[in-house]
Amino acid sequence: MTRSTLRSGRRVLRRALDSAAERMRAPPGDGDWMAGQALGLGGMRRFHLFRPRGLRRGEKLPLLVMLHGCGQDDRGFALSTRMNRIAARERFMVLYPLHERSANAQGCWNWFGTRSRRAPGEMSCLMAAIDQVCLFHPVDPARIALAGLSAGASMAALLATRHPARFRAVVMHSGVAPGCADAASDALAAMRGQRSPAAPEPGPPWPPLLVIHGSRDRVVWPECGRAAAQLWAEQAGARAGSATRVQRGSRLPMTMTRYRKGRRTVSMLCEIEGLGHAWSGGDAREPHGDASGPDASRMVWAFVRRQFEAD
């Protein structure tokens, strides 16, 4: 019995050590995976930064901030989206802030906490992390964009409306538009599309928005994605163009709708037929990843790059 207990204990310890080693291993991508932490009004927040190899003297790279969804962490989000591989090839940095479980048991960004100090505190932490990365790494401050999934998408959109001058683009994947909830009691109704965002107040233009949403999402309902695209259009006085249906190979089809003001795209809505609450084209081995959909990571970078290159 003693020998059996010792063998069992060694197996448990070995599995625990292997799991810990796996969590510390950098996600795939030719570059450096660097840990950091930043202090804001919401406390201390950890993050990881992916930086491509071979930086040249004087080179300034764009920065994409990726906010994970509930039940994820920064490393898992990088694995699911495979964004580091795109960043290594296209030469941009990726910042993955980590939401602490002490602030939300499910690891969700508190996008709905605008009435309390939670949302402003978390936005302060995110801006502190961005400022820190810009200070210590060769980032072009004129080329910074936001993207997120679920609660991360909702927080990315909220951050873009509060600091519009800092960002050139924002991408919401399966998120809720700003202004649909201002407390936890409103969040569930907002996620079901039962609360409309407040009319945008006059102010500086918001950065262009790409919305990606699955037609079978029953965590954050598709109405939420449509509301976000429409909110951006209202803020800029844009109009919707004709919807276009696209299918690439055997991937799930999608319908694209652009909202334009003149020749400028204010927002773009991508509705993916048959996709649930998951990163489209993501690694299915990771939480909230669905490999059957079109590659959302490529779509994100293509949209963001166009905004970086725009006059």
Side-chain angles (χ1 to χ4, degrees), residues 161 164-165 201-207 235:
T161 62
E201 298 180 0
W206 297 342
Q235 199 269 349

Side-chain angles (χ1 to χ4, degrees), residues 3-15:
R3 286 195 295 270
S4 175
T5 300
L6 290 173
R7 284 196 298 269
S8 177
R10 283 195 293 269
R11 285 195 296 269
V12 171
L13 179 59
R14 191 180 305 113
R15 284 196 296 268

Side-chain angles (χ1 to χ4, degrees), residues 213-218 221-222 226 253 270-276:
H213 217 113
S215 67
R216 293 186 179 177
D217 193 333
R218 288 299 176 264
W221 289 25
R226 298 175 198 135
C270 173
E271 298 178 280
I272 301 174
E273 298 176 24
L275 181 71

Side-chain angles (χ1 to χ4, degrees), residues 185-247:
S185 57
D186 304 327
L188 185 58
M191 292 164 63
R192 291 177 175 172
Q194 297 170 354
R195 292 179 62 88
S196 300
E201 298 180 0
W206 297 342
L209 170 72
L210 169 63
V211 175
I212 303 173
H213 217 113
S215 67
R216 293 186 179 177
D217 193 333
R218 288 299 176 264
V219 176
V220 179
W221 289 25
E223 290 82 358
C224 298
R226 298 175 198 135
Q230 183 62 39
L231 178 67
W232 250 250
E234 291 175 3
Q235 199 269 349
R239 294 184 177 181
S242 300
T244 304
R245 192 173 186 272
V246 179
Q247 185 166 17

